[in-house]
Amino acid sequence: MNAMNYEQMKEFIISMADMITPEEEFNDPEQPELRKRYTCADEMMHEMSDDRLIDEYLTFMAMVKDARAIRDGLATADSAHAEPIADQEQPEKFGDYHMSH
């Protein structure tokens, strides 16, 4: 792994770790209205608006794209050490996603 790949992975991990979970949002001292309106984070999540859910989904898709870009960079950088394709376990096609065995 070269320094550029390491820095990309480090930035990606930091950005993911900095994201707030629903439990953290619910327990945030700066958002007491959430605890007045809901009894728990699960209840809050069940009542999220479509706009909020779409925003969360788009954030997740951006993370997937970033992860793939890092993976593809690693694959390119490590291609000299790559296992021959015939020896690799092949993913099973499932809808638009690939699931490994």
Side-chain angles (χ1 to χ4, degrees), residues 17 25 27 31 38 43 47 55 58 65 76 78 81 96 98-99:
E25 181 179 358
N27 292 313
Q31 300 209 33
Y38 305 108
E43 183 181 357
E47 292 196 12
D55 186 48
L58 292 174
K65 288 178 183 179
T76 301
D78 294 338
H81 306 290
D96 291 330
H98 293 281
M99 299 178 67

Side-chain angles (χ1 to χ4, degrees), residues 33-100:
E33 69 279 357
L34 292 176
R35 289 177 301 288
K36 289 177 184 174
R37 184 171 179 190
Y38 305 108
T39 59
C40 63
D42 285 341
E43 183 181 357
M44 180 186 76
M45 288 188 307
H46 287 282
E47 292 196 12
M48 286 183 177
S49 69
D50 287 347
D51 288 339
R52 170 74 186 266
L53 293 173
I54 289 169
D55 186 48
E56 298 290 338
Y57 176 76
L58 292 174
T59 299
F60 177 69
M61 287 295 101
M63 290 172 30
V64 169
K65 288 178 183 179
D66 288 347
R68 287 179 178 171
I70 293 168
R71 176 202 62 198
D72 293 347
L74 288 173
T76 301
D78 294 338
S79 62
H81 306 290
E83 181 181 353
I85 291 177
D87 296 338
Q88 295 177 13
E89 183 176 332
Q90 298 299 309
E92 175 182 318
K93 179 93 169 135
F94 184 78
D96 291 330
Y97 301 96
H98 293 281
M99 299 178 67
S100 296

Side-chain angles (χ1 to χ4, degrees), residues 1-14:
M1 175 182 323
N2 63 35
M4 185 174 136
N5 295 125
Y6 174 79
E7 286 303 315
Q8 287 176 316
M9 287 175 52
K10 181 179 169 184
E11 288 175 25
F12 178 72
I13 291 168
I14 289 170

